Amino acid sequence: MSNPDIPRVDAREKVRGATQYAADHVVPGLAHAMLAVATIGRGRLVSIDVDEAHAVSGVRLVLTHVDTAGLKSPGYVLGGGYGVQSLLPMLESAIAYRGQPIAIVVADSLEAAREGAALVRATYEQEAPSVRLDAEGAEILAQADSPLPKPAFADRVAGDADGALSAAAVRVDTTFDGPPQHQNPMELLATVAEWSGGTLTVRESTQNAEALRHGLAQVFGLSPARVRVLSPTAGGGFGQKNSLQAHTALVALAARALGRPVKLVVPRAQIFNGASFRPASRHTVRLGADASGTLVAAVHEVDHQTSRHDLFPAIYADLTARLYGIPNFRGRERLVRNDIQTPGFARAPFEHIAACAFETAVDELAYALGRDPVSLRVANDASTDPLTGRPFSSRHVVACLERGAERFGWERRTPEPGSMRLDDGTLVGWGVAIGAYKAATAPAVAMLRLTDAGEIFVSVGGHEMGQGIRTAIAATVAMELGVPAEAVNVLVGNTGVVPQHLTAGSWGAATTLPAVRQAALNMLQELQRLAGDGPVNRTFQQILRDAGEPHVDVEARHRAPGQPEAIFDRVALGHVSAVGPAYPEFVSLSYCAQFVEVHIEPRTRRIRVPRVVSVVDCGRVISPRTARSQILGGVVWGIGAALREVSEVDPRYGGFLNADLAEYVIPVNADIGSIEAEFIDEPDPVINSLGVKGLGEVVMVGVAPAIVNAIHHATGRRIRHLPVRIEDVL
C-alpha cells in the first residue's frame, strides 16, 4: 500500500555538509551579537552599566531598554499574536524570569561580542521567584474560568464520571508528576537580520516563517510586505521554534541601528532560560471498571505551569478522553502561574505525559482486575468518539495492539512482577501502552512550475526540520507526474512565494501533500491542454517547446474539511489556522501501540531498554524511509523522557540549573537497543485525498508509560513520576 522507499532527496547535501542553515549564512560586513541576560528570577532592573562592554575592542553597539522606544510586543501566538510569548524583552525594566535579555552587544567578531556581553553590569530590585507548581507565590487559575477561548479549553465531560466512578466495582486512584523538559534540537536558535532600503530580511531556524514576518512587522510598525523570512532548512525544532522568538526583534533592531547585517546564535544555556519548554505538570487519574473489566468511568485532572504574562493552555484530557470507549469521562485542567518564560510545545506536548499518567493507571487497573494488559485495552476500544459521538475517520488501535503483541512475542510474558529474569539475575520486564495524537490539518497553497529545460519546481507552505517533508513532497509530485523524485526542486520556509503556515502538531504532511497532489493533477490537465492533438508520448519539456511556452505554472489550494475558503485570508495574516481532531462530521487521530522490554541489572540497578516494538496507524505512508526514521526518533525521545530528561529548576534564583548537554542527560547510542517499526498503512478514507494522517508526534506517545509499566512488571514497584531513576528501583 505504501509508496516506494525512495531515498531522502536532501540526504546527499546533508551528508556532504552542503546544506545551509541559518547560522551558516555569511554576508559582507556581517557583525556578531550576544545577549546579556538577567541573573535574578523576578524583580526590576534598577541600573545598567555598559561602559566596560563598549570599551571592548571591536564592540560597535550595545542596546538596552532605553534604546527600544517605539517597538511593540508581537503578541502571544496563542492569543492572536505571533510570539512565543507576549513579553518582548528590553521594552521595560521589569524582570519576569531569570535569563530574560537585558542588553544586546554587537561586535565585529563573536569573541568580542561575548566578552562585551559578559561585562554588562546590572543592579536589581529583587523579589522572591516562584518556579514550581507547589511553590509559595504560585497562582492557580481554573482554566475553564480563564479568559482563554471557549469552548476550546473548557472541561472535557461525557456522561457522569464521578457518579459512575463511585459505583464501579474496581477502582484505581493515581497521581503522576511530569517534569519540565527542554527540546534541545541540534541547531541552536539562530538569526541573521539585514536591512536594505527599509526592507528587512531575516534568515532564521524556524517552524513558522509567517509568524516571524508578521510579528516583526508589528514590532517595527512595518507593512508585512517589507519583511521577508527565509528558513529553507531547520536543524530540528520539536515545538521550540514554533513562532517569533524573544531575541529575533532585538537582532533586527541592532542591524537597523548599526546599518550592517547582524547574526546571533543563542548559546544553549540561554536557550534553556529564555526559549519555550515543556512545563511541569501534575496528573490525577481515577479509573473505574465493572467486574468484567469494562471501563465505566475516568477522571483526569491536571495542573500545569504557565508564565505570569501568558496563559499557555492545557489540553491533556483532549487525548485521554479518546484513548478508550469510556462512556463517563471528566477532564479538568488548571494553569499555575510561575515566574518563568512562557512554556510551549515540545514533541507530543500534552499527549506524551497525558498518556503516561493515564496508561500507567490502566496498567494498574489491569493488575487489579487480573486481566492481561493487552486484552484489557483491546476489550475497551472505542467505536465512536466519546466526547462528540461522531464516528472516527479511521481507527486501527486494535490492529496496532494485535500486530505489536505478535511481533513482540507477548504470549511468552508471565504476568507476575519479578517473574522474568536472565541467567545472571537481571530483572526483565515487559510493558505495553497505547498512544494517539490528533490528525490535524491546516490550509496550504501549492505552486508548481515546469520549464522547457526539464526543471520542476514546487513551492508550498511548510518547513523542513529534518522530518523529511521535502522528500514526501517530492515523492508526491513524482507519483503524479511520473518523474524521478530527485528531479523535483522543493521550496519551503520562504515567505516570498506562498504563505508559510506553522509546521507543527503533525499536520505537515496532511497539510502540504494534498495541496501538492492537486497542483500536480492541475499540471497534468494543463499539459494535456497544451499538447492538444499533437504527437503522443512526448515529455513535458517537448510539449512546452512545441507550444512555445518557456514554462507553465499552476496553483492549488487545500483546506481542512469544514474550513471556509476565507481561512486562506487568516493564513495570509500569519495566524495559526489548523483544526482537528474534531471535524464537522468525524473525529480523526493517529494511533500507536508501544511494546517495551526493560532489563534491570541485579547490582547496579541500572535500567536498560534492549527492545521496543512500535506499531503505528498514521493512514497512508507516503515516504516509508522518512516515516520509519520518525518512529526511531520518537522512540528515542520516549526513552529519554522516561529515564533521562529533566530540567532542574533553581527555587532560590529562578531559571534552570542543568542548562547544557553535559548535565541535561539525553540518550546516547549505548542506551538504545533494537527498535522495530511497523505501519498499519491503511489510508484514511475521509480526512484527505491521499489518506494521510500525522506521524511525527504520535510515535513518542506511549513509549514512556510502556517503559514505566515494564519496570513495574520487572520489580513490582509503581513509579508515578518521570524520569525514573536508579534510586526508584533500589
Side-chain angles (χ1 to χ4, degrees), residues 409-427:
W410 187 260
E411 77 281 356
R412 301 194 305 273
R413 176 183 183 267
T414 57
E416 187 67 26
S419 61
M420 297 175 67
R421 295 173 182 256
L422 301 182
D423 292 342
D424 65 356
T426 294
L427 295 171

Side-chain angles (χ1 to χ4, degrees), residues 139 330 588:
E139 178 188 358
R330 179 173 62 81
S588 189

Side-chain angles (χ1 to χ4, degrees), residues 132-377:
R132 289 178 172 163
L133 284 171
D134 52 2
E136 183 178 351
E139 178 188 358
I140 298 176
L141 176 66
Q143 182 163 273
D145 299 328
S146 78
L148 291 163
K150 297 179 179 65
F153 303 122
D155 290 355
R156 272 46 173 171
V157 177
D160 178 12
D162 296 287
L165 191 63
S166 65
V170 181
R171 297 187 294 269
V172 298
D173 189 335
T174 68
T175 298
F176 199 97
D177 286 325
Q181 295 173 329
H182 281 74
Q183 301 92 332
N184 281 303
M186 273 200 290
E187 184 190 14
L188 301 170
L189 297 178
T191 304
V192 178
E194 184 175 8
W195 295 81
S196 177
T199 295
L200 171 62
T201 298
V202 169
R203 291 171 172 84
E204 180 162 315
S205 175
T206 184
Q207 299 172 232
N208 194 350
E210 211 66 58
L212 267 64
R213 181 167 81 106
H214 288 269
L216 289 167
Q218 181 167 308
V219 169
F220 289 99
L222 298 171
S223 163
R226 304 293 293 273
V227 182
R228 186 178 186 187
V229 177
L230 303 172
S231 186
T233 305
F238 312 112
Q240 184 184 80
K241 302 173 182 178
N242 86 326
S243 43
L244 180 63
Q245 300 291 332
H247 71 272
T248 308
L250 304 180
V251 179
L253 176 67
R256 187 176 68 175
L258 191 62
R260 290 169 55 181
V262 173
K263 176 193 292 188
L264 170 64
V265 180
V266 183
R268 198 170 294 275
Q270 290 186 359
I271 291 174
F272 265 83
N273 291 297
S276 64
F277 63 99
R278 190 194 308 277
S281 60
R282 179 164 297 141
H283 303 251
T284 297
V285 176
R286 294 190 287 273
L287 301 177
D290 64 20
S292 70
T294 298
L295 283 161
V296 296
V299 172
H300 186 184
E301 297 177 326
V302 188
D303 289 350
H304 96 158
Q305 291 178 303
T306 189
S307 66
R308 302 279 186 192
H309 43 279
D310 294 313
L311 300 176
F312 178 55
I315 50 174
Y316 301 93
D318 212 37
L319 168 77
T320 52
R322 294 179 161 111
L323 281 177
Y324 299 98
I326 305 175
N328 302 288
F329 184 93
R330 179 173 62 81
R332 186 272 292 152
E333 292 143 334
R334 298 189 303 184
L335 308 179
V336 180
R337 282 175 155 157
N338 286 140
D339 300 304
I340 54 177
Q341 69 266 34
T342 301
F345 301 96
R347 192 174 194 173
F350 310 105
E351 294 77 7
H352 147 67
I353 193 63
C356 203
F358 207 84
E359 282 292 272
T360 53
V362 169
D363 195 72
E364 187 167 346
L365 183 67
Y367 273 87
L369 288 162
R371 291 284 300 273
D372 175 77
V374 172
S375 68
L376 180 69
R377 288 171 168 84

